[in-house]
Amino acid sequence: MKKLNGKIKIKTAIFISGRGSNLKNLLKFSKKKISPISIDLIISDNKYATGLKFSEKFNINKKIFNFNNTKIDSLLLEFIRKKDIKFICLAGFMRILSKKFLKNFNGKIINIHPSLLPKYKGLNTHKKVIQNKDKFSGCSVHYVNTKLDSGKIILKKKVKVYKKDTIRSLSNRVLRAEHKLYPMAILKIFN
Ligand code: GRF
């Protein structure tokens, strides 16, 4: 816990692997008075992740970990505990966290996924939606458990799929919905 503008905030880490648009969106949200979280740490498995630039822009600590290291669980746990992190948001993080890690953060890790779960777990969701001629797609925020994209759903948001949609146009529309949904899900958890 940390006091920010007179309000107690939950110390949070965001895990990323790439672009970081959800990270940027959550950083902006965390600055608002209504936000129950403060973002104190950015973790990446990829030193080339473009989202890491938000560390400087928002003056937030970042740390890059080699997830192929056999001791990654202990290293990550130790680091996160030292930083007093109490909550974790995965945002485009492309690794599966180990059972050991999840057990230590049970119920305190959430993820955003670009489909209406339980439909289309894993990769290439927009391609699958278009191939199957679905009329709707969307995004989901869920708790993270040991199975891929399978934890309890916190909130979902639907978007329409148009006949002329390409993977790019659909993923842009879903991403805009993600940027609304992730803060809403965090508010739902803590309010
Ligand atoms: C988002 O579509 C998210 O749902 C998925 O990966 C993408 C990450 O985008 N898990 P960004 O890095 O937040 O821009």
Side-chain angles (χ1 to χ4, degrees):
M1 303 276 221
K2 148 175 168 186
K3 224 171 182 182
L4 213 75
N5 301 331
K7 201 181 158 189
I8 304 280
K9 305 257 185 175
I10 295 134
K11 287 185 90 174
T12 300
I14 313 290
F15 284 35
I16 63 163
S17 296
R19 175 178 58 183
S21 73
N22 277 289
L23 164 66
K24 183 184 178 196
N25 181 57
L26 289 179
L27 282 164
K28 283 185 173 169
F29 167 69
S30 72
K31 304 273 176 212
K32 295 185 180 165
K33 208 165 181 193
I34 51 158
S35 168
I37 62 164
S38 66
I39 295 172
D40 298 87
L41 182 62
I42 300 165
I43 299 266
S44 179
D45 64 325
N46 170 15
K47 66 176 173 184
Y48 301 112
T50 52
L52 286 170
K53 67 178 180 232
F54 298 115
S55 150
E56 282 83 44
K57 284 194 176 159
F58 287 80
N59 196 22
I60 307 288
N61 280 329
K62 65 167 182 243
K63 178 87 177 162
I64 295 140
F65 278 96
N66 173 9
F67 276 73
N68 297 323
N69 185 326
T70 49
K71 294 201 175 105
I72 182 66
D73 289 334
S74 336
L75 293 172
L76 194 57
L77 273 173
E78 196 186 321
F79 187 80
I80 283 186
R81 286 218 182 101
K82 216 162 65 193
K83 297 276 176 203
D84 200 29
I85 296 296
K86 301 287 189 232
F87 188 63
I88 294 173
C89 300
L90 309 184
F93 182 66
M94 301 302 282
R95 299 270 175 169
I96 297 191
L97 294 164
S98 72
K99 277 187 188 153
K100 180 182 169 188
F101 186 83
L102 293 175
K103 214 172 146 194
N104 277 274
F105 266 89
N106 195 12
K108 295 188 182 95
I109 310 182
I110 64 173
N111 179 42
I112 188 150
H113 183 74
S115 79
L116 293 172
L117 288 172
K119 251 186 154 178
Y120 309 129
K121 295 171 184 173
L123 296 173
N124 302 318
T125 57
H126 306 305
K127 190 175 172 191
K128 291 172 193 162
V129 165
I130 289 173
Q131 273 172 352
N132 292 339
K133 298 187 170 39
D134 290 355
K135 295 215 161 28
F136 289 95
S137 184
C139 46
S140 314
V141 176
H142 63 93
Y143 286 102
V144 174
N145 64 13
T146 51
K147 290 193 194 125
L148 182 67
D149 302 325
S150 298
K152 189 173 172 236
I153 292 166
I154 300 156
L155 271 186
K156 296 198 243 192
K157 189 167 174 65
K158 252 186 180 182
V159 307
K160 198 158 167 32
V161 182
Y162 298 98
K163 281 206 180 100
K164 60 175 190 336
D165 263 328
T166 58
I167 293 174
R168 179 189 272 249
S169 65
L170 180 59
S171 70
N172 285 339
R173 193 174 312 118
V174 171
L175 194 65
R176 284 198 294 277
E178 290 183 37
H179 294 167
K180 292 193 181 121
L181 190 71
Y182 218 162
M184 279 167 65
I186 292 170
L187 284 170
K188 184 175 173 193
I189 292 170
F190 293 108
N191 289 341

